Structures are given as structure tokens and as C-alpha cells.
Amino acid sequence: MKKIEAVIFDLDGVIVDTAHFHFLAWRNLARELGVDFTLEFNEKLKGISRIESLEKILVLGNLQDKYFSEEKEALAAKKNNEYVELLKDMKECDIYLGIKELINELRENNIKVSLASASKNAPIILEALRITELFDYVVDPDSVSKGKPAPDIFLAGAKALGANPEKCVGVEDAEAGIKAILDANMFPVGVGTPSEMQKAGAKLIVTNTKDLTLDLIVRSI
Ligand code: BG6
Ligand code: MG
């Protein structure tokens, strides 16, 4: 890749620590359902849509046949209400270290920036962090037919910017997200535990976003 045309970011766990809020809200719902929900299991939900996450929790508790689809919608809404409550404490300063600087650096270098998050709450989170304007495009997760690990959402993030996927970089904290980036033929940057990110296939790994600079990305691709 000679010139980077666009960098496509995941949100939860890459731009801000909302991954932890998702964990807390799912764990509370799982407890109410009598399902033993661990941090390890939570990893499998990262990058996965709300309703698919619920389905996985129900399977974990052997409850997959217990609820009608309206009841599942109600359970997912209950989790989301608690999650949105937790989001209310989020402030501008909660953005991960170095992320705003990185996005500004990309923009100064004429590299486009888009968001490819599975979250329907992404617009309100970007607003709370006051960074909506820094994105050239935010993909609506409902506009793609297949969620992560399928590459669709990253490809949509590139297409909207007129960028060639092979000249795009994707930044993710989830195994499903890294797979989506790889299948989109983009360069995968992983944020998180090196062994896990390496296993997922990330080609550049940072444990802390403060270390992620344009210079490091350019030297790694
Ligand atoms: C992803 C998170 O970014 O968004 C998942 O990693 C979450 O944990 C998914 O389930 C959907 O989020 P929301 O806000 O639409 O429930
Ligand atoms: Mg994430």
C-alpha cells in the first residue's frame, strides 16, 4: 500500500471504553435470565450486533427456544436501556488517549476518516465526545446486510469515501472486526492484548491508543 486513502475506525473499545458498559449491561441481563456470563464469554460479543449478542447469551444458557421474537426484542431493549443509562456519564474527556490527535493528523494529511461500528448508539456517542464533525462518514449498521465478521460494514465505510479498500486501514478491538477488515482486503490494526490481536490476524497491534500515530501506521504497512 503506497498511499493510505482512508482509515476506518470501529467505535466501542477503539475510540472510547464503551465496551465495558456493554459488558456490564449484558452481564446484568444474563444474571436475570440465570445465565453465567463471564468476561471471557463477553469477548465473543465484541463487534456483534445487539440481537445476535442476545441470541449467543440465550444459547449459552440453553434458553434458545424459550422466547418468541417479540420477547427477545424486549430483552434486547432492556439491555440497551441500561447501556444508554451508563452512557449518560460519558464525557468529552473519556475519548481514548491519542485518538483525537490521530484523527486530526489523518485529516491534515488528506486521509479520509469513517466509522464502521455495529452500534446503533454510535451517533449519540460521537456527539457526547464532540467528535461527529471529525468523521467524513458514519456507516449506518442497518444499511449493510451482514454484520461483522463479514466485511460489509468496512467496505461500505470505504465506498462512501470513494476509497479503494486495498488502500484503507481498519482499526478494531474485536476478533470479529479484525476478520471483517482482513476480508475487506484492508490493513488491520488491532487495539488490545497482543496475543489475542495477533491470533485474530492484526498486522499492527497497540495495547494503548496513545501509541497509534500516522507515522507508526505508515511504517507498518
Ligand atoms: C459493537 C459492540 O460495537 O456494537 C457490541 O462491540 C455491541 O458489543 C454492538 O453489541 C451493537 O451495539 P448497540 O449499541 O447497537 O447495542
Ligand atoms: Mg469494538
Side-chain angles (χ1 to χ4, degrees):
M1 193 194 301
K2 286 196 190 78
K3 187 191 176 302
I4 301 170
E5 292 184 357
V7 176
I8 305 175
F9 288 85
D10 172 46
L11 173 69
D12 298 315
V14 165
I15 290 179
V16 63
D17 191 18
T18 38
H20 187 61
F21 294 159
H22 278 295
F23 165 69
L24 294 176
W26 280 130
R27 189 189 57 184
N28 287 349
L29 183 78
R31 277 182 182 161
E32 278 179 39
L33 299 175
V35 179
D36 186 21
F37 187 81
T38 60
L39 256 178
E40 195 190 349
F41 182 79
N42 183 62
E43 286 302 306
K44 297 190 206 309
L45 306 185
K46 288 188 176 174
I48 307 297
S49 77
R50 196 179 307 164
I51 204 75
E52 276 181 273
S53 299
L54 175 66
E55 302 278 3
K56 283 184 190 280
I57 291 168
L58 294 178
V59 170
L60 176 70
N62 205 16
L63 299 170
Q64 62 273 26
D65 300 322
K66 188 171 173 188
Y67 301 101
F68 292 116
S69 82
E70 296 79 35
E71 291 172 307
K72 287 184 196 169
E73 290 294 340
L75 290 172
K78 189 169 191 194
K79 178 265 173 181
N80 190 55
N81 289 341
E82 184 171 350
Y83 176 67
V84 170
E85 229 8 80
L86 292 167
L87 286 182
K88 286 189 179 148
D89 290 333
M90 198 176 56
K91 286 176 240 63
E92 211 177 327
C93 61
D94 289 328
I95 188 165
Y96 274 150
L97 286 178
I99 287 290
K100 210 165 169 179
E101 291 77 0
L102 171 63
I103 298 177
N104 280 325
E105 203 185 358
L106 296 170
R107 294 172 63 89
E108 280 157 20
N109 284 275
N110 294 318
I111 298 169
K112 298 243 187 248
V113 180
S114 65
L115 191 85
S117 169
S119 175
K120 296 179 202 285
N121 291 298
I124 60 165
I125 295 172
L126 294 183
E127 275 301 306
L129 298 174
R130 298 185 188 278
I131 54 169
T132 306
E133 269 65 52
L134 296 185
F135 288 84
D136 296 295
Y137 190 75
V138 175
V139 184
D140 174 359
D142 287 336
S143 70
V144 293
S145 52
K146 285 197 207 125
K148 300 170 191 176
D152 305 30
I153 195 161
F154 280 95
L155 291 172
K159 193 174 175 195
L161 305 175
N164 175 352
E166 287 176 19
K167 294 191 172 165
C168 291
V169 171
V171 190
E172 261 289 351
D173 68 317
E175 192 182 332
I178 296 288
K179 179 156 193 325
I181 296 169
L182 285 166
D183 286 354
N185 276 320
M186 298 179 183
F187 181 82
V189 176
V191 176
T193 313
S195 57
E196 283 167 18
M197 285 293 105
Q198 202 170 1
K199 203 170 99 205
K203 291 188 182 144
L204 166 62
I205 299 166
V206 290
T207 45
N208 191 313
T209 49
K210 75 175 177 3
D211 299 324
L212 192 58
T213 59
L214 176 57
D215 181 54
L216 179 64
I217 297 172
V218 169
R219 281 191 280 118
S220 310
I221 54 182

